[in-house]
Structures are given as structure tokens and as C-alpha cells.
Amino acid sequence: MAAAVLELKKIERSYRQGADRLTILQDADFALVPGEMVALVAPSGAGKSTLLHLAGLLEAPDAGEVVIGGRACGRLNDDQRTAIRRNEIGFVYQFHHLLPEFTAEENVMIPQMVTGMAPGEAKGRALQLLDYLRVGHRAGHRPAELSGGEQQRVAIARAVANAPRVLLADEPTGNLDPVTAGYVFDALEALVRQSGLAALIATHNHDLARRMDRVVTLEGGKVVPFRH
């Protein structure tokens, strides 16, 4: 089996709530290998977003370690964590968060140019990704001119523009009708299979979850297999 590209080891995370302390994750372990799609299904408030934030280095655990590409990230400084997020991790959210004043093509070019890529090269890769996700014909349109499904496919293209190792998605089809959600998931799945990305996708959509390689949930602060 391939080595894990993302590992959460004995993760602890809690938050202060008034005089009390609310434990979200406790002794939580999880691993994700290249080319694998894992669904995270759990009730609201169970800690799905916290788990994704920790995996994406947006939050630091109280204890335990986050390992990305074999590198322990718990003691890195902010600049080092930002560099890993920029180069190793792609994020897709329920709302697309595209920049409204830029075209679809430009939205996908920007993260590449931030890393120093030449505009011409960034444009070529942006168009290639948009074509692959079947929105290449909309490359010159701004987000307000795109449908919900088109916006989310552009957001996926932007998330993988820098060829990350890990894709983290938080309800990426949550704002879409079932048919459009199916189209967006098809595009996402094809991209993961083709590129060897490792994807952790939080979703309430059990039909989509069943199409992934495995389904996990959160129980007692731990990541455990989901029992249907």
C-alpha cells in the first residue's frame, strides 16, 4: 500500500465554552493515501470542520501531530505552514469563494502566479484544468455569469491549480441541486483518479459518500469507520 500523504496522529482538540471545555477530537487517528477518496459523514457540530482545519494546517492541535508528505507540521511557524498550504493542500468549500471581479480563467491563474509561475504558463494550466472539468468554454466569464455547478467546478480547478498532494473539501456540493451535485462530484472524482490526489470530503450526501473508497465518521472524538 502507498505511504500516507496525510496523517493525523493522536490528535486532541478542545475549545473553551464559557466555564466549560468542549472536547471535539480526542486521541484521533486518520491516514489518507494518494489516489484515495474518503468521505467524512457526521452530524453538524460533531467536528467535521475542525478535523478539516487541522488537516489543512488552518488550526493547530492541542496535542498530537499532523504529518503531510512525511513531514511533521505541528511545530512549524506560520510562514512554513502557509507555504505547505499553498503548495501541498487544496481547499474546496460549500460556497465557491471565487473572486467576483476576475474571470474563471483568472481565478485559476492567481494561485499559480502567487507561487511565481509566469502568466503564460499559469494561463495554459488554467485552461487545461477548466477544459478537463468541462467549463473551458466559460473561461472568460466572471462568477456572476456562471451557474452554481460551473462556479463550483471553477473552484475545484483553482484548488488543484498548484498540483497539491491533498484536497480537502467541506460540503462541496451542499449548495447544489442533486443533478448538479452529481455532475460536480463526477468531475471531482475523475480529477482525483487521474491525478493521484488524496481527497478528504466532508458531506451530508450519503449517495455521494457511498461512491468513495471509504466512509468515516466522528464518534467520541475519534475518527472511525461509518456504519450504514
Side-chain angles (χ1 to χ4, degrees):
M1 189 176 183
V5 68
L6 167 67
E7 292 179 273
L8 304 181
K9 297 182 174 182
K10 307 297 181 189
I11 294 292
E12 309 270 341
R13 189 69 172 114
S14 60
Y15 300 97
R16 178 73 63 191
Q17 195 174 57
D20 300 321
R21 195 145 195 93
L22 181 64
T23 298
I24 303 296
L25 297 170
Q26 188 169 26
D27 204 28
D29 292 307
F30 176 73
L32 193 63
V33 300
E36 182 181 36
M37 294 184 81
V38 176
L40 174 59
V41 176
S44 295
K48 296 192 301 296
S49 293
T50 297
L51 186 73
L52 290 171
H53 288 170
L54 290 165
L57 306 183
L58 295 169
E59 290 185 35
D62 299 324
E65 187 59 271
V66 179
V67 181
I68 295 174
R71 183 181 186 185
C73 299
R75 292 174 179 80
L76 300 181
N77 63 37
D78 286 346
D79 288 344
Q80 291 170 319
R81 290 157 69 92
T82 297
I84 290 174
R85 281 198 302 271
R86 183 184 299 134
N87 298 312
E88 305 283 345
I89 305 167
F91 296 92
V92 181
Y93 299 98
Q94 182 170 348
F95 186 70
H96 56 77
H97 294 300
L98 298 173
L99 298 171
E101 66 271 30
F102 294 103
T103 64
E105 173 188 287
E106 290 165 342
N107 267 279
V108 183
M109 289 174 62
I110 288 168
Q112 301 174 78
M113 292 170 64
V114 166
T115 67
M117 186 179 287
E121 189 177 351
K123 179 173 182 172
R125 177 159 172 78
L127 290 174
Q128 183 182 33
L129 283 167
L130 292 171
D131 280 339
Y132 188 84
L133 292 164
R134 299 184 181 179
V135 281
H137 62 296
R138 308 288 275 161
H141 293 258
R142 289 185 172 82
E145 301 169 316
L146 305 176
S147 71
E150 288 170 339
Q151 290 171 345
Q152 201 61 318
R153 279 179 280 170
V154 174
I156 291 168
R158 180 185 57 186
V160 301
N162 287 333
R165 298 186 191 205
V166 179
L167 182 69
L168 302 173
D170 196 356
E171 298 287 351
T173 62
N175 279 335
L176 306 175
D177 66 82
V179 173
T180 305
Y183 287 143
V184 170
F185 183 81
D186 288 345
L188 181 57
E189 182 179 28
L191 192 62
V192 169
R193 304 305 184 199
Q194 181 69 26
S195 66
L197 260 174
L200 175 61
I201 302 171
T203 182
H204 282 109
N205 188 321
H206 288 258
D207 291 333
L208 295 185
R210 281 191 285 270
R211 293 175 54 184
M212 300 190 218
D213 298 310
R214 58 191 171 103
V215 185
V216 298
T217 190
L218 295 167
E219 286 182 5
K222 293 180 171 58
V223 183
V224 299
F226 181 79
R227 288 177 282 278
H228 293 282

